[in-house]
Amino acid sequence: MQTALKDVLPDQDVPYYQSTSNEQQLFETAWQQHLPLLLKGPTGCGKTRFVSHMAAKLGVPLYTVSCHDDLTAADLTGRYLIKGGETVWVDGPLTRAVRHGGICYLDEVVEARKDVTVVLHPLTDDRRLLPLDRTGELLEAPANFMLVVSYNPGYQNLLKQLKPSTRQRFLAVEFDFPDAETEKAVIMRETGIDVERAALLVRIAGNIRKLTGIDLEEAVSTRLLVYCATLLMANVAFDDAINAAIIEPLSDDADIKAGLREAIGIIRG
Ligand SMILES: Nc1ncnc2c1ncn2[C@@H]1O[C@H](COP(=O)(O)OP(=O)(O)OP(=O)(O)O)[C@@H](O)[C@H]1O
Ligand SMILES: [Mg+2]
């Protein structure tokens, strides 16, 4: 089965990423020391952007795989395909990163099938080996190979958790929404919006994130603030932008949406 994979080749331009803590130093150290890295945090807080930024900064190819519940080990390692009447082995993204060097990034890794851990284990301890049973190869990861995985602990259920024996093979960094100044800078840089409106969006987000007693699965993300600022920059009216980029994506429940509108109204004054 064809999986959702995206190969991002080395980019001349390093994608913009605003640091929020010591995550860049940690990433670079993990890279130098050949240690795998796990990123956890809520949706839209900059995990994917961070990995693209670091890969570009280090000048290595990035192989991103969005994991889903049908993703098998073969989707990562590769498979035999029939081409022109012949059977040929085609490397999967993980194998390509191990064979040629680069960063393999497994997004939402908890979603993947259990057999994926079987290929990850020998690769993420000091052996750094990728056995390809189908071809009989045993690949040793080069110095410029790194495995990065991420997931959102907020959505986790008991059935979908990384086993301790998997988690404990990774250095781990927790991501969260940036502080107000950083988030304002991100929104301005991403959309070109003025400082006043960026500050207002950040205040709105801060307030929604603090709301207690409101049943939101996840609070408003930096991504949604960027969307909202994008609409404002395209001259969409403020209330319409808030509605389309913040309220509707956060909830389907009429009472919750009314509560959010009210809270936002109070902040706007
Ligand atoms: N620290 C940051 N620096 C630059 N941009 C950021 C930062 N944090 C968030 N963003 C903005 O938010 C958007 C969403 O970030 P990203 O896609 O990296 O989130 P994510 O954590 O990978 O979310 P998900 O878990 O849903 O995949 C980015 O496209 C970017 O515009
Ligand atoms: Mg992501």
Side-chain angles (χ1 to χ4, degrees):
M1 196 188 89
Q2 198 58 29
T3 54
L5 346 149
K6 196 175 72 182
D7 297 355
V8 184
L9 292 168
D11 202 341
Q12 303 299 76
D13 307 4
V14 176
Y16 162 70
Y17 175 75
Q18 182 82 43
S19 277
T20 56
S21 174
N22 66 340
E23 69 273 27
Q24 300 215 20
Q25 187 198 4
L26 219 123
F27 193 110
E28 276 172 30
T29 310
W31 164 260
Q32 283 154 7
Q33 301 298 324
H34 312 144
L35 295 172
L37 187 64
L38 182 159
L39 313 175
K40 43 184 170 173
T43 182
C45 70
K47 301 182 294 298
T48 298
R49 178 64 67 89
F50 173 56
V51 180
S52 323
H53 172 86
M54 294 308 296
K57 216 165 111 179
L58 294 167
V60 286
L62 173 62
Y63 301 88
T64 301
V65 182
S66 301
C67 300
H68 49 79
D69 50 13
D70 275 340
L71 188 103
T72 62
D75 293 321
L76 295 179
T77 54
R79 49 171 49 95
Y80 283 105
L81 297 177
I82 298 168
K83 278 191 182 163
E86 282 185 49
T87 318
V88 286
W89 171 260
V90 179
D91 282 344
L94 180 65
T95 306
R96 262 180 285 159
V98 172
R99 229 190 262 285
H100 309 293
I103 294 172
C104 183
Y105 173 38
L106 308 182
D107 202 354
E108 282 303 327
V109 66
V110 285
E111 296 292 334
R113 295 254 198 108
K114 290 280 170 274
D115 66 336
V116 165
T117 55
V118 176
V119 300
L120 295 187
H121 277 200
L123 198 53
T124 47
D125 54 35
D126 55 0
R127 291 171 288 172
R128 291 183 34 102
L129 294 173
L130 178 63
L132 298 177
D133 294 345
R134 306 289 306 279
T135 65
E137 290 173 283
L138 183 62
L139 302 180
E140 196 173 328
N144 64 347
F145 167 79
M146 181 177 183
L147 182 70
V148 180
V149 302
S150 68
Y151 69 91
N152 181 338
Y155 305 146
Q156 274 209 85
N157 62 41
L158 278 175
L159 289 172
K160 281 192 177 158
Q161 274 191 358
L162 290 182
K163 288 190 298 189
S165 58
T166 308
R167 302 171 67 112
Q168 294 199 21
R169 287 174 144 75
F170 290 83
L171 291 179
V173 188
E174 182 172 28
F175 275 65
D176 204 347
F177 301 119
D179 62 76
E181 278 309 306
T182 311
E183 192 159 48
K184 204 167 73 184
V186 167
I187 300 168
M188 290 168 68
R189 170 72 192 255
E190 290 284 283
T191 65
I193 200 164
D194 52 275
V195 63
E196 288 78 19
R197 284 186 294 174
L200 176 60
L201 292 179
V202 169
R203 274 209 309 284
I204 287 174
N207 254 275
I208 294 177
R209 289 171 191 158
K210 276 199 304 243
L211 282 179
T212 47
I214 192 161
D215 193 16
L216 286 179
E217 207 175 357
E218 192 120 324
V220 58
S221 63
T222 307
R223 176 188 291 126
L224 287 182
L225 299 185
V226 169
Y227 285 0
C228 192
T230 304
L231 294 183
L232 294 174
M233 288 303 283
N235 293 320
V236 173
F238 193 86
D239 286 343
D240 294 341
I242 289 283
N243 207 42
I246 296 185
I247 294 176
E248 293 297 342
L250 283 182
S251 183
D252 301 323
D253 182 298
D255 291 338
I256 293 178
K257 290 195 283 187
L260 287 171
R261 268 187 208 104
E262 195 186 319
I264 292 169
I266 294 168
I267 301 158
R268 281 189 75 194

